Amino acid sequence: MNKKKLEVLTPKFASDFACIGSDCTAHCCNTWTVEVDKQTYKTLKKHGDIVIRQLASSTFKLTRKSEKDYASIKMSNNGDCPVLDEKNLCNIHKKCGPKLLPHVCQDYPRTPRWFGEQAEMSMAISCPEVVKNVLYDPEAMMISTVTQYQNELSHGNIRGLTAANLPTYLAFIRDFCFSIALNSELNFEQQLFIIGLFLKQSDSHLNNITRLSELAENFNIMISDGTLLEHFQALPSVSAIKWHFFATQDSFFVTHIYKNKEIPTCNIKKFDDFIECQQMLMRSLNTNEASSNNDNVFIVANPNREHHAYTEILKISQKIIDEHLAEYPHLLNNFLLYSIYNDQFMAHLGKRPTEYFKFLILDILMLKSYLAGIAIQQEKLTKDSVVKLFQSYFRRRQHYPGLLAFMDEKIKEAELQSEYVIFSLLKN
């Protein structure tokens, strides 16, 4: 066991985190694939409490893939973990304490990562409490250093990019993006535009730090003299393109997961808050051509429809969204800072920074679109509704990595028409 001490960079949203247990609106003991390590499996199978032994025997399925993935928990038909009690509290935790939980249950939503030689603590925003901390605390991204033993960080399973596989350019790229995201004279869309343009122009110079430094200096000059803001202002807003991107993604997000499954809508909503958020926009668009008596039908966006209803929804909801952002002016900026910090430009997935930017813009398009539907249906935005959307959207992204490949495919198709098409999604 590694007892090495590490100085771990820890943002305030992570140091402030505390699980709220049964009060959680979207508890994590639901629809996840929960691996059980060999030692935990054998200990629970032989536990002195007969209830625990029975739970282990009836709910754990042997996989024997590895020491860490020796078994898995069989979720119930409605997606709940079968070891929960009637209050959604874990029987294993209640009777045995946290140290006999499967590692994934002990560690989630903490996601420690290497960034070169530096260990960094982050947390998954598929957890509603994390979303609340990230979006609504003005000091969420204030970072301190915490001393921890390496084996205490996800049981020593620290992912990310070690010094051996961290691209030489990534620290410089990330520092520059942080500087743009922290520039209070730029609004959210302007920050995204400048970051995206820098990443695009730097793509052919990633192995030349001197050239990257020159490019960054030129960008700072063009920010100061207003050149980049003029370029942003000149960007077209192409409603049809925005609708096509949104509608294609929306259709896939829903049908890819529930296609060919006989699950009534009421049961799906029990463990999928995303559907509730998504259907608010669909009701606003009034695109339902299916029978309302069929509980197995979801309304999804149709990419072949005209964009006008969608464009109008975005327009009339903007006042409501702006009112919420005026009350919490740090919300979008916190999300951007979190994304730059947490995602590490998806380098661990083999993505280049400019590719990561495109995924980020699509995520923002989807989130803003669903926020518009919520705003119209509820006539306001609340903390709870925003947290529910962000949490459920990224929970879906985390559960179904195939969505990323689909997003990549659609971006490449659109770029056959114009390599700058993704930038048009930034304009309202």
Side-chain angles (χ1 to χ4, degrees):
M1 186 168 290
N2 196 330
K3 288 288 187 179
K4 180 182 177 182
K5 284 186 177 181
L6 297 174
E7 298 296 314
V8 185
L9 293 185
T10 306
K12 188 171 181 290
F13 73 80
S15 58
D16 284 355
F17 173 79
C19 178
I20 59 173
S22 61
D23 291 331
C24 185
T25 56
H27 65 92
C28 52
C29 311
N30 180 286
T31 69
W32 297 92
T33 298
V34 178
E35 300 167 352
V36 183
D37 62 281
K38 185 176 182 178
Q39 182 178 345
T40 300
Y41 174 80
K42 291 195 169 184
T43 302
L44 293 175
K45 287 277 285 186
K46 297 176 182 178
H47 198 273
D49 190 309
I50 188 172
V51 174
I52 297 298
R53 293 201 306 274
Q54 289 175 341
L55 280 173
S57 297
S58 62
T59 64
F60 290 4
K61 179 182 178 181
L62 274 173
T63 59
R64 293 192 178 94
K65 293 180 181 178
S66 66
E67 294 282 320
K68 291 182 179 179
D69 186 1
Y70 194 75
S72 63
I73 297 179
K74 297 179 290 186
M75 295 294 170
S76 61
N77 289 336
N78 69 358
D80 279 339
C81 177
V83 302
L84 297 178
D85 65 14
E86 65 281 356
K87 295 182 179 179
N88 280 335
L89 293 174
C90 176
N91 275 302
I92 295 175
H93 189 287
K94 186 165 56 176
K95 291 176 177 288
C96 310
K99 290 188 177 180
L100 276 187
L101 290 172
H103 289 175
V104 67
C105 301
Q106 291 185 46
D107 298 334
Y108 179 83
R110 300 164 188 83
T111 54
R113 294 191 177 95
W114 290 111
F115 192 76
E117 296 181 350
Q118 178 65 61
E120 300 180 343
M121 177 58 72
S122 191
M123 307 194 92
I125 53 173
S126 50
C127 167
E129 282 303 295
V130 175
V131 175
K132 192 181 300 181
N133 286 353
V134 168
L135 297 186
Y136 288 101
D137 181 354
E139 299 180 344
M141 289 303 301
M142 297 294 290
I143 293 177
S144 58
T145 302
V146 178
T147 302
Q148 290 184 261
Y149 287 108
Q150 185 167 333
N151 64 288
E152 294 176 342
L153 298 172
S154 289
H155 294 82
N157 183 27
I158 308 175
R159 300 181 183 181
L161 303 159
T162 61
N165 57 22
L166 181 75
T168 55
Y169 59 81
L170 206 61
F172 181 89
I173 290 281
R174 189 164 75 154
D175 284 346
F176 178 80
C177 292
F178 273 134
S179 73
I180 301 303
L182 290 168
N183 187 333
S184 59
E185 295 183 3
L186 303 171
N187 66 33
F188 180 65
E189 287 76 18
Q190 291 167 344
Q191 290 170 343
L192 287 170
F193 170 72
I194 293 170
I195 287 172
L197 193 61
F198 175 79
L199 295 179
K200 183 170 180 57
Q201 293 190 12
S202 67
D203 190 55
S204 57
H205 308 290
L206 293 179
N207 295 319
N208 187 340
I209 296 297
T210 300
R211 182 69 187 96
L212 289 179
S213 298
E214 293 170 351
L215 189 62
E217 185 177 346
N218 289 338
F219 264 67
N220 285 327
I221 291 171
M222 289 190 290
I223 291 170
S224 297
D225 67 18
T227 303
L228 286 178
L229 296 186
E230 289 177 7
H231 289 325
F232 173 74
Q233 203 60 35
L235 272 179
S237 176
V238 187
S239 299
I241 292 176
K242 190 177 290 188
W243 165 248
H244 184 77
F245 266 116
F246 168 77
T248 304
Q249 292 291 113
D250 177 79
S251 179
F252 188 80
F253 266 42
V254 177
T255 59
H256 158 257
I257 293 166
Y258 295 123
K259 184 169 55 178
N260 300 324
K261 291 186 179 179
E262 292 297 321
I263 305 176
T265 303
C266 58
N267 284 352
I268 288 174
K269 285 184 178 180
K270 180 181 185 298
F271 63 83
D272 195 343
D273 287 337
F274 170 75
I275 290 295
E276 181 180 340
C277 298
Q278 185 263 357
Q279 291 294 283
M280 286 194 202
L281 177 58
M282 294 304 106
R283 286 197 295 273
S284 299
L285 292 170
N286 193 27
T287 59
N288 187 12
E289 296 177 342
S291 169
S292 60
N293 295 322
N294 189 342
D295 279 342
N296 292 315
V297 171
F298 295 99
I299 313 169
V300 296
N302 182 352
N304 296 319
R305 279 182 173 269
E306 290 293 328
H307 66 85
H308 304 297
Y310 169 76
T311 302
E312 185 65 15
I313 289 296
L314 296 184
K315 180 180 177 181
I316 62 179
S317 65
Q318 195 60 53
K319 182 176 182 292
I320 299 172
I321 294 173
D322 287 345
E323 288 172 353
H324 191 75
L325 294 178
E327 187 174 358
Y328 305 102
H330 49 274
L331 190 153
L332 291 177
N333 190 248
N334 277 14
F335 174 68
L336 178 55
L337 289 167
Y338 166 86
S339 300
I340 296 170
Y341 172 81
N342 176 80
D343 298 345
Q344 298 184 352
F345 297 95
M346 293 182 177
H348 62 292
L349 298 177
K351 302 300 181 184
R352 299 171 75 86
T354 188
E355 293 178 294
Y356 164 70
F357 172 76
K358 296 168 189 176
F359 291 125
L360 176 62
I361 295 305
L362 272 193
D363 281 336
I364 290 169
L365 171 68
M366 302 303 290
L367 290 164
K368 282 189 170 183
S369 299
Y370 294 129
L371 279 176
I374 295 169
I376 295 297
Q377 291 293 312
Q378 297 186 342
E379 299 182 346
K380 65 177 180 178
L381 289 181
T382 64
K383 276 188 182 182
D384 288 344
S385 62
V386 174
V387 167
K388 178 182 286 189
L389 171 62
F390 274 73
Q391 173 271 324
S392 63
Y393 177 86
F394 284 103
R395 180 168 179 158
R396 205 172 194 78
R397 286 269 270 103
Q398 185 173 342
H399 274 205
Y400 302 97
L403 295 176
L404 205 61
F406 181 80
M407 293 166 76
D408 193 31
E409 176 189 340
K410 296 306 169 186
I411 291 169
K412 288 176 179 175
E413 286 177 5
E415 287 182 332
L416 293 175
Q417 303 298 318
S418 169
E419 61 178 322
Y420 288 92
V421 67
I422 202 74
F423 288 94
S424 69
L425 303 182
L426 292 172
K427 295 298 287 288
N428 293 327

